[in-house]
Each structure stands twice: as structure tokens, then as C-alpha cells.
Amino acid sequence: MVVFCQEDKQYYSFDVNNFYGTILNHNPDISHLITGHPSGVILSVNRKTFGNKDWQRLYNSPDYGISFISQDMDNEYLGNNIGLYAHYNFYFFKRILMLRLGQGLAYAATPYDEDSNYRNIAYGSHFMSSTFAMLNLTKENIVGGLGLQAGVGVIHYSNANFKAPNKSTNTLVFNVGVNYQLDSKFPAYIEKDKDLIRGAEPISFGFLFRGGINESDIVGSGQLPFYTFSAYADKRLNKKSAIQLGGELFFSEALKRYIDFRSTGRFNDGTTGDEDSKRVGVFLGHELRIDKMSILTQLGYYVYYPYDFEGKVYNRMGLQYYITKNIFSSITVRSHAAKAEAVEFSIGYRL
């Protein structure tokens, strides 16, 4: 087939989207920061796939690439943000509907400052984790390689309590833009085989060490290390999905300092300072595999919870990358509902 003859050739496209939107009031504490309508531009470069590999056919030949976002938050305290992201484009309904998911690092020009910008309680640091999603109607090659696209999206900024304060923002946006294919004559897309998704495996076991630095909600209390040791059993149901059941032990120096602060600050909440800052949790998770990359979602519950801090239920989301068949690394955010506690950097081994 012609498709396989051109397997080594790489096809690229570019798109530019202007957007306009509003900051969602997910937390009443940021109401004073919602005064205008953020706007900006998204610049993206995409590498196209055509189903030459199994993972490409499993996901209907997605694109992957890099995006740059420049956003004016239209608020004097929030200022302007810029971000760089890795993204995937997933296509549906004969490639008319496109879902783009991006994860990256953003820079806030005017974060919280106790003297000059104390009202910006959304961003506690210049550098933040950022996620964006776009759902677009798209049409390629309307005239030559030029096409159009339009839709809706959400842009999220948070440093996940790397430094307090960190109330974060979520911007709902409406976008319209153009796309351009460098080579408008594509190979044919290879359709997915009906049985391609099959690939169940026996139950396996994995072990992880997670770590990083975070700060409690007390501004100026200091950025301190945390450590988490995890073990789990997983069952790969097919080439896309695996389910997990595991347990983990949490050590947090920031929580230890927070307990000390509450015990000495005359808050009269019953904190004595002798409370144990360690926690033990159990979790149920799902792993969505995309080639060597995985999207992790986990829901956990603290079964050992000697000090009340943010609630017994926690969730974790992030990306995992398989360095080898058995060794992997991940970047995840652990939260309690919408309240992030930490960005976790992990290394693990799967038997």
C-alpha cells in the first residue's frame, strides 16, 4: 500500500486560534479576580499520524505536538500568563470533531507578592503547572492546505501548592482559528482492526517512590519536602486500559509544620502538636495507555488519618511514561476535590 511506502515521511500541520472567555468562579475566594474577559492566542504545531503503528490505529490516528499559549487575564492583579504544552489531538465523526488535550508549564508575570500584589491569591509563584482542553469543529484543506476550526475550551493554571497561596484559575474560552497543512496530499488513514484492542495480561505488581516540595496554606510557612511510598496490583484489560488497586504511606514535612503552627497559634481547635502527620491511603485507579505514555486517574481514601487536613478522600491525575517495559516515571497532582496538595514526581518499577 502507498501508506506503508510513505511510513518514514513525516507530515506536519500548524494552527493559530484566537480565544475570548471568562474565569469560572470555582472558589468564592477568587471573586475579586473575575473582573473582565480573558483573551489570547494559541499557536500549535502538530505531527500527523496515519495508523502505521498499533497505538495510532487504536486512537483513530491522532496528532501530537507542541502548543504555546499567551493569555491576558484581563485583571490588574492576575496580569498575563504564557505557557508551553505537549498535546494530543483526538478525532471523531470522520475527523470533523477534534479534542485537544495539553499539559505543560506556564509563567505568571505578576504572581502573589505580600507587598505589591497581595490580592493575587490565585498564583503563588511565577511558574505553574497548566492544562488545557479544546473541543473544535475542524475542516482541513478547504483551499489547498488551508482550513478552519472553531470551538470551546478550558485553560487551567495552578502550582498545586508548590508555594502558597494557590487558589488557581479555570478559564472557559471560545476560540476560532485557521489550520494549515504543509503537505495537503496525505496518505490514506489505516482503519483499526476489530481485534486490535485485545491484549489482556495477568495481574502484575508495581512499586513507586513519589516526592517533591510543597507548602501548606499558611503563606510564608515554607516550602518543605514530602515523600510517598506506594505499592499496587494492576490488571491490564486490553491494549488501552488497566485498572489498579493499591496502598501508600505519606510523609509530609509541610503538614508537620502546619500542625505545629495550629498548636501554638491559639486557634482553640484542639490541636496539641502531638498529632501524627503521617497518613496511609488506599486507592483505586485507571491507566489509559497511549503508546509509551499513560494518563492516570486515581481515587483514594485515607484509612489512617490522625489529623484532619483537607478531608479523607483524595484524587490523583497525571501522566506516566514507560522508560522501559518495567521502569516508568510520572508527574501527577494529588488533590482533595478541587484543592491541590502537591505536584508529585515519581519513579516506579512494574514486575
Side-chain angles (χ1 to χ4, degrees):
M1 293 178 63
V2 175
V3 172
F4 290 102
C5 292
Q6 301 187 50
E7 182 176 357
D8 293 333
K9 184 175 180 179
Q10 298 177 2
Y11 293 82
Y12 291 91
S13 69
F14 299 88
D15 59 74
V16 180
N17 292 274
N18 285 297
F19 64 84
Y20 181 86
T22 186
I23 299 174
L24 300 176
N25 193 5
H26 72 282
N27 187 326
D29 291 345
I30 68 166
S31 298
H32 64 286
L33 301 175
I34 306 175
T35 56
H37 292 280
S39 60
V41 63
I42 304 173
L43 309 174
S44 302
V45 57
N46 313 284
R47 180 176 174 181
K48 307 191 75 64
T49 69
F50 299 93
N52 297 310
K53 298 180 180 180
D54 286 353
W55 75 268
Q56 298 172 4
R57 297 196 298 280
L58 280 171
Y59 289 95
N60 193 30
S61 299
D63 310 329
Y64 58 94
I66 300 294
S67 288
F68 170 82
I69 296 180
S70 175
Q71 181 171 355
D72 178 358
M73 302 302 294
D74 200 16
N75 178 273
E76 61 178 308
Y77 308 114
L78 293 180
N80 300 320
N81 295 342
I82 58 173
L84 189 64
Y85 307 77
H87 72 250
Y88 280 98
N89 299 332
F90 299 98
Y91 292 91
F92 309 92
F93 302 112
K94 297 183 179 180
R95 306 186 77 80
I96 294 175
L97 186 66
M98 183 264 286
L99 173 65
R100 175 173 296 169
L101 301 175
Q103 178 66 47
L105 186 67
Y107 178 86
T110 56
Y112 171 88
D113 184 275
E114 63 181 359
D115 296 318
S116 63
N117 196 17
Y118 63 89
R119 294 184 182 275
N120 184 359
I121 59 173
Y123 313 142
S125 59
H126 280 292
F127 290 98
M128 304 178 291
S129 171
S130 183
T131 305
F132 81 99
M134 294 170 55
L135 187 64
N136 278 5
L137 293 174
T138 181
K139 180 64 176 177
E140 299 174 339
N141 297 325
I142 296 175
V143 179
L146 193 65
L148 298 173
Q149 58 193 54
V152 298
V154 175
I155 304 173
H156 171 75
Y157 299 108
S158 169
N159 69 21
N161 258 35
F162 176 76
K163 188 175 182 182
N166 181 52
K167 300 299 182 181
S168 74
T169 61
N170 298 291
T171 309
L172 175 67
V173 302
F174 299 89
N175 69 278
V176 61
V178 296
N179 57 67
Y180 182 75
Q181 322 301 314
L182 288 182
D183 190 335
S184 59
K185 295 182 179 180
F186 293 156
Y189 293 101
I190 304 174
E191 294 185 4
K192 180 176 66 175
D193 304 328
K194 183 174 65 174
D195 297 329
L196 181 61
I197 196 171
R198 294 181 179 177
E201 297 180 11
I203 293 175
S204 186
F205 299 92
F207 305 91
L208 297 93
F209 171 74
R210 306 184 191 274
I213 295 173
N214 70 335
E215 185 174 18
S216 75
D217 288 338
I218 308 302
V219 177
S221 59
Q223 296 168 280
L224 298 168
F226 65 86
Y227 318 96
T228 304
F229 298 91
S230 304
Y232 67 89
D234 75 348
K235 169 66 176 175
R236 290 186 171 174
L237 306 176
N238 49 49
K239 289 183 179 179
K240 277 187 175 181
S241 294
I243 55 175
Q244 305 169 333
L245 179 64
E248 45 199 349
L249 174 61
F250 301 89
F251 299 88
S252 172
E253 294 298 318
L255 179 55
K256 183 184 295 185
R257 180 169 292 183
Y258 178 80
I259 292 172
D260 182 66
F261 174 80
R262 299 296 297 189
S263 68
T264 58
R266 297 183 180 179
F267 290 94
N268 297 319
D269 61 358
T271 303
T272 66
D274 296 324
E275 291 84 357
D276 191 356
S277 63
K278 294 188 293 295
R279 291 166 288 178
V280 176
V282 295
F283 65 87
L284 180 66
H286 179 265
E287 179 182 358
L288 181 66
R289 302 169 61 196
I290 308 173
D291 196 18
K292 293 183 178 181
M293 190 77 71
S294 294
I295 299 174
L296 293 177
T297 53
Q298 296 175 349
L299 181 65
Y301 182 82
Y302 297 115
V303 294
Y304 179 68
Y305 186 72
Y307 185 76
D308 188 16
F309 180 73
E310 306 292 359
K312 288 188 174 183
V313 177
Y314 64 93
N315 54 278
R316 177 183 285 122
M317 295 188 65
L319 298 176
Q320 184 163 289
Y321 180 78
Y322 284 89
I323 303 169
T324 69
K325 181 180 178 181
N326 303 103
I327 300 172
F328 59 87
S329 62
S330 65
I331 301 176
T332 53
V333 176
R334 179 164 48 88
S335 306
H336 305 87
K339 171 61 179 172
E341 181 177 345
V343 176
E344 305 167 315
F345 298 89
S346 309
I347 188 73
Y349 186 86
R350 183 177 182 271
L351 298 177

